[in-house]
């Protein structure tokens, strides 16, 4: 049995029930096989055993009081996975589905994604099974204050710098930051995604979605094509989805779908993003309300956005939202590119099918790395006590995404699988972390 297979089996046996974590580890390690075999020192130094075991897992109780006076208790998590190349960095997910396995999968992915950005950031992730949906601002604040009252002991500007993710937007980051400062007393860049009046970076909010479109544009250019004129299907209607739609539209593509966890819309004339922003960013409403603005559009709770004919598919909602049956629809409808805005939105059999049928596939750890890269730029601005302009940050973001594309396509070519960007991203992300771990001894 190969070293890689041995470790995959060991991870499954040692972490029972954590199926998303198993899926992420398998997906990464299987593609690393040629690099691992070429470097026997990795096995001798237990590199994969160490890489798949988080450096620290913090789990805690989060008690808070709701508006009716009832005491509620949620689970809080922070997984500090790997700090070989920089302080732990990764978002906080607030969603009822959150469990340890999901946070570990996200933290593991984050190691390679952060490495691909070329910036000095390690991998981590956190979250809670708290659901901000339907809660009052006061309830969200009570939860965030309680969450940070425990978390603040473990984070810091040079130690661990959390950010937003599903359910954690500007409001939640504000409450978390306020409580951190109150407990710790330091005005430091301990969280990213902050508001612009207290240390946030211009273009951070837009960065993941914009970055996704920049790397997709780069791929298309490399293949002698253009995003201009393409029909695009987007899933989700949150932070990533909204700014992916914005940039794709600016570059001349037509985005025809968006969704939330209840249903999805199809607008053959192109999504009216001002309406979506009002529904989602201002009213915190449901995507169905789009029909109030555009009665001619269609809304459905059956099937998913992937049943629509498109050239480019951008899954931007959550993990395992694009299944094999959806991959088949995309292929049958002539789709050319699938680029992941969300983390691991496509199931392994869907990815295999997409690649086997000649579509280009950009995995999340490369395609959505613009968010964390811009978070690292926010950290730099905080350390410098400076604020860069939107144009400066956006230009750096674009350069980072173009570089990521160059790195992953070079790694894929080097290992004899040109255009296998899954392999390219895993190998390119892994090498820097592995070298740093080898240099730092058995820690
Ligand atoms: P948001 O909370 O802003 O939006 C998430 C969107 O996805 C919402 O439309 C939500 O619908 C939908 N969604 C969430 N969970 C589910 C589910 N279980 N089933 C169906 N739809 C669902 O999150 P983000 O946009 O920030 O994040 C989206 C994805 O991108 C996640 O995978 C995240 O990890 C990833 N990502 C985010 C980055 C960032 O900078 N924000 C950076 C890199 C990756 P509803 O409102 O109905 O729940």
């Amino acid at each position: 049995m190969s070293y890689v297979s041995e470790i995959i089996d060991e991870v499954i046996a040692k972490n029972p029930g954590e199926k998303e974590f198993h899926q992420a580890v398998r997906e990464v390690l299987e593609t690393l096989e040629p690099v691992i075999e070429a470097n026997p020192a990795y096995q001798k130094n237990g590199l994969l055993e160490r890489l798949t075991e988080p450096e620290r897992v913090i789990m805690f109780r989060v008690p808070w009081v709701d508006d009716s006076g009832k005491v509620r208790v949620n689970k809080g998590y922070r997984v500090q996975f790997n700090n070989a190349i920089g302080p732990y960095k990764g978002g906080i997910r607030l969603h009822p589905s959150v469990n340890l396995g999901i946070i570990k999968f996200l933290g593991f992915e984050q190691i390679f994604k952060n490495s691909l950005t070329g910036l000095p950031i390690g991998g981590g992730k956190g979250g809670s099974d708290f659901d901000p949906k339907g809660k009052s601002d006061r309830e969200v604040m009570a939860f965030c204050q309680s969450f940070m009252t425990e978390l603040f002991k473990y984070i810091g500007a040079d130690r661990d710098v959390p950010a937003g993710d599903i359910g954690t937007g500007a409001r939640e980051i504000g409450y978390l930051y306020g409580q951190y400062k109150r407990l710790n007393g330091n005005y430091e860049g301990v969280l990213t995604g902050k508001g612009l009046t207290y240390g946030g970076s211009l273009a951070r909010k837009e960065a993941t979605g914009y970055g996704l479109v920049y790397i997709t544009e780069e791929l298309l250019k490399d293949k002698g094509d253009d995003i201009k004129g393409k029909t695009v299907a987007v899933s989700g209607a949150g932070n990533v989805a909204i700014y992916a739609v914005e940039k794709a539209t600016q570059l001349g593509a037509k985005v025809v779908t968006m969704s939330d966890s209840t249903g999805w819309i199809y607008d053959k004339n192109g999504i009216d993003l001002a309406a979506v922003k009002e529904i989602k960013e201002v009213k915190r409403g449901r995507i169905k309300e789009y029909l109030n603005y555009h009665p001619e559009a269609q809304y459905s709770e059956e099937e998913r956005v992937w049943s629509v004919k498109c050239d480019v598919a951008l899954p931007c909602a959550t993990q395992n939202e694009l299944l094999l049956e959806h991959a088949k629809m995309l292929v049958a409808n002539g789709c050319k590119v699938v680029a992941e805005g969300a983390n691991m939105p496509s199931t392994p059999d869907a990815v295999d099918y997409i690649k086997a049928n000649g579509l280009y596939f950009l995995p999340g750890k490369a395609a959505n790395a613009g968010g964390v890269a811009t978070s690292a730029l926010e950290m730099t601005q905080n350390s410098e006590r400076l604020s860069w302009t939107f144009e400066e940050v956006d230009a750096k973001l674009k350069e980072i995404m173009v570089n990521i594309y160059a790195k992953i396509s070079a790694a894929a070519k080097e290992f004899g699988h040109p255009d296998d960007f899954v392999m390219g991203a895993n190998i390119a992300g892994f090498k820097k972390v592995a070298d740093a771990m080898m240099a730092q001894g058995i820690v």
Side-chain angles (χ1 to χ4, degrees):
M1 190 190 264
S2 75
Y3 177 39
V4 160
S5 312
E6 216 176 276
I7 297 301
I8 293 172
D9 287 354
E10 209 174 289
V11 164
I12 294 170
K14 277 174 134 180
N15 302 279
E18 297 176 0
K19 60 181 194 312
E20 290 86 358
F21 180 50
H22 304 166
Q23 183 182 337
V25 168
R26 181 188 295 282
E27 188 265 337
V28 171
L29 294 199
E30 282 182 349
T31 58
L32 294 180
E33 197 107 44
V35 189
I36 304 285
E37 300 215 322
N39 291 279
Y42 290 158
Q43 181 165 7
K44 188 160 173 279
N45 285 277
L47 190 90
L48 295 184
E49 288 86 332
R50 290 187 286 136
L51 191 65
T52 52
E53 188 64 43
E55 287 168 15
R56 195 170 299 101
V57 174
I58 302 141
M59 291 172 61
F60 50 98
R61 177 172 72 197
V62 190
W64 56 280
V65 180
D66 73 15
D67 285 347
S68 71
K70 188 170 174 238
V71 175
R72 305 280 200 106
V73 178
N74 286 102
K75 287 178 181 293
Y77 304 90
R78 186 73 188 164
V79 173
Q80 297 180 331
F81 223 115
N82 189 301
N83 68 359
I85 63 168
Y88 309 107
K89 180 99 201 79
I92 293 176
R93 177 172 292 192
L94 301 181
H95 193 272
S97 64
V98 163
N99 57 38
L100 182 60
I102 288 184
I103 299 298
K104 281 169 69 176
F105 122 62
L106 290 164
F108 184 70
E109 285 280 294
Q110 198 83 43
I111 303 170
F112 309 99
K113 179 191 308 194
N114 293 4
S115 166
L116 281 175
T117 66
L119 300 168
I121 37 178
K125 197 82 188 187
S128 172
D129 59 356
F130 173 79
D131 187 359
K133 233 180 279 158
K135 304 285 190 304
S136 70
D137 287 353
R138 195 212 60 82
E139 289 176 320
V140 171
M141 181 172 74
F143 167 83
C144 288
Q145 292 182 339
S146 180
F147 186 84
M148 184 53 85
T149 300
E150 186 59 27
L151 185 69
F152 94 102
K153 300 167 191 166
Y154 309 99
I155 60 177
D158 293 315
R159 190 172 184 188
D160 182 357
V161 184
D165 190 69
I166 291 180
T168 306
R171 173 183 60 172
E172 290 75 17
I173 293 287
Y175 294 148
L176 290 165
Y177 189 66
Q179 184 70 356
Y180 177 84
K181 198 159 48 65
R182 186 185 188 196
L183 291 164
N184 173 294
N186 290 339
Y187 206 101
E188 59 180 19
V190 68
L191 290 165
T192 56
K194 298 188 291 300
L196 295 176
T197 52
Y198 62 96
S201 173
L202 285 160
R204 170 60 189 95
K205 183 174 67 166
E206 292 83 356
T208 310
Y210 277 25
L212 171 67
V213 175
Y214 289 147
I215 196 168
T216 305
E217 185 191 26
E218 189 61 19
L219 162 75
L220 285 166
K221 264 206 241 157
D222 185 39
K223 303 299 170 196
D225 203 344
D226 194 347
I227 193 158
K228 195 169 171 196
K230 295 279 180 292
T231 300
V232 180
V234 170
S235 65
N239 176 258
V240 179
I242 286 177
Y243 292 96
V245 174
E246 184 164 287
K247 183 50 71 180
T249 310
Q250 280 172 10
L251 295 180
K254 183 163 84 170
V255 183
V256 291
T257 66
M258 290 185 84
S259 67
D260 61 19
S261 52
T262 319
W264 59 281
I265 50 165
Y266 171 68
D267 189 339
K268 66 174 180 358
N269 301 318
I271 295 287
D272 169 5
L273 197 59
V276 175
K277 282 186 180 178
E278 194 171 299
I279 296 163
K280 287 292 174 184
E281 294 188 331
V282 182
K283 296 186 192 158
R284 295 181 189 275
R286 309 307 299 158
I287 200 70
K288 186 179 184 177
E289 293 163 37
Y290 189 84
L291 297 185
N292 300 338
Y293 299 76
H294 294 279
E296 73 288 0
Q298 291 167 29
Y299 172 76
S300 172
E301 294 178 6
E302 308 296 317
E303 273 305 334
R304 295 195 192 168
V305 301
W306 318 122
S307 55
V308 162
K309 187 170 169 51
C310 64
D311 306 304
V312 176
L314 304 177
C316 296
T318 193
Q319 66 273 1
N320 295 331
E321 53 154 320
L322 197 164
L323 312 177
L324 177 61
E325 66 201 77
H326 305 125
K328 288 184 177 166
M329 290 175 188
L330 290 172
V331 169
N333 281 330
C335 180
K336 297 178 184 67
V337 177
V338 179
E340 297 185 324
N343 285 310
M344 211 168 74
S346 324
T347 56
D349 51 0
V351 177
D352 289 345
Y353 191 84
I354 288 166
K355 292 197 314 195
N357 282 278
L359 279 72
Y360 296 114
F361 178 81
L362 288 171
K365 67 171 73 64
N368 69 33
V372 74
T374 309
S375 278
L377 301 179
E378 182 175 333
M379 289 163 71
T380 306
Q381 293 170 77
N382 292 162
S383 304
E384 288 186 336
R385 305 274 192 271
L386 287 175
S387 298
W388 302 338
T389 63
F390 187 96
E391 289 70 26
E392 276 176 280
V393 181
D394 189 35
K396 286 186 167 63
L397 165 67
K398 187 162 186 189
E399 191 187 328
I400 290 169
M401 299 314 295
V402 168
N403 280 337
I404 292 178
Y405 180 74
K407 270 187 222 171
I408 67 174
S409 78
K413 278 193 194 110
E414 185 187 337
F415 286 87
H417 294 267
D419 297 340
D420 184 345
F421 301 116
V422 173
M423 180 180 228
N426 288 338
I427 291 178
F430 168 79
K431 272 176 139 183
K432 180 176 174 189
V433 176
D435 286 352
M437 286 177 73
M438 293 294 281
Q440 291 171 27
I442 309 295
V443 290

